[in-house]
Amino acid sequence: MAELSRRKMLISGGALGALGAMGMASPAGARPLTPWTWAPTGSVAGSGAGADPRWVWDEEADPLVASLIDRGAVPEVNRLLWDWTRNDQPLPAGLPEDLRSFMERARELPSWADHGKLGTAAEFNKARGLYLNLLNGVGGGMLSTAIPKEARAVYYSKGGADMEDRVAKTSILGFAVGSLNAYRPDGSCIVEAVKTRLVHAAVRHLLQQSPHWGGDIPISQEDMLVTWHTLPTFAMRKMREWKVPITAAESEAYLHVWQVTAHLLGIKDEYVPATWDAANAQSDQILPRNMGPTPEGVILTDILLGQLAEQTSPGSISRPLCNALARYLVGDQVADWDGIRREPLWDPLIATAWPKLVKFREGLIPLPLVPEVAWVIDEAARKYILFFLTKGKETKIEIPTTNRPG
């Protein structure tokens, strides 16, 4: 823990003062200064109690999984669920009856799910895969480490001890959402979402027993919404910023696949935004009150960028390139919170080259106008995506029974 203590000293002072000036939550998890005002009329449910999601968890999954852990049933459950991989696959025989009953309900698509939109979303994910995987993988990853509660929950839970495995398991759900058969019978998005919901319930139960966890119960409805906004909302905003041509049908479909995924993860329908305007409004309210620096976030960022550098361009340029790419995706404020070094050479190169590469891909400018360095960046992104696609096939999402060792 010596490195963690050193990081705490590095980020104390000025950065935390800036947080206070912006009205953001402190890394210690203090109650937010801004009230919850987002109205449930903007949700897919169209109505709701309007309760602050910071104080709402998963009343169905939480007591069930806590019971499974306390009675020692999880190892056998993980063994039985190992080969449960397809949306249309029956649940394996031998599961505890209370778990089986819950999972049968949890795997049902909401009544408002639209298979036509889900099909359009699958085609959109295929056509825009490079952008989406880069934004959700690198961008979403860097944003997550700048969310104090999420960074601390990851660091002190079992997955924090092996970040390569942790990232691979996180990628499983992300790539399942983006696959062509995500919600088709032969897809796996339902399976991975339900398994992730069970993992979240386990982490809520376990982290409260950790001597390193002193905050509220982790992974509240708000925490899940914050993570959700670092994925589809962030990705759509960045693609709009890059002027990627997106039709109204594609935009609506991309939102819809993530709406369905939110429901399956256990986010209440009254909190799931019905439109992009509602999503942007909700994001603007809850991200600022949940983001900032932590020693754990800085360490996790360093690990993640180190993994990315190993898979991209060889030699001494790899880590500086990855630092600059991450900074370009999430901006200076988040990059500084994450402790990402500024790269005098690569920062301006990426800021100039990437927009031209996007324009070329979209047929808006000819090849001669694309700088040579753009293809180095393009290849780095492809190698990163390929690496985690491969890793995702080698591992499975499992319910934990312990926190981070030590």
Side-chain angles (χ1 to χ4, degrees), residues 135-148:
L135 289 165
N136 290 335
V138 183
M142 296 302 99
L143 290 171
S144 71
T145 54
I147 300 167

Side-chain angles (χ1 to χ4, degrees), residues 148-161:
K149 286 184 70 176
E150 182 166 350
R152 293 179 62 242
V154 169
Y155 189 85
Y156 292 114
S157 61
K158 182 180 179 181

Side-chain angles (χ1 to χ4, degrees), residues 66-88:
S67 173
L68 292 174
I69 293 172
D70 292 344
R71 65 189 196 239
V74 170
E76 177 63 8
V77 167
N78 282 333
R79 186 188 71 80
L80 292 170
L81 292 178
W82 185 262
D83 293 321
W84 186 56
T85 58
R86 285 174 50 121
N87 293 334
D88 62 353

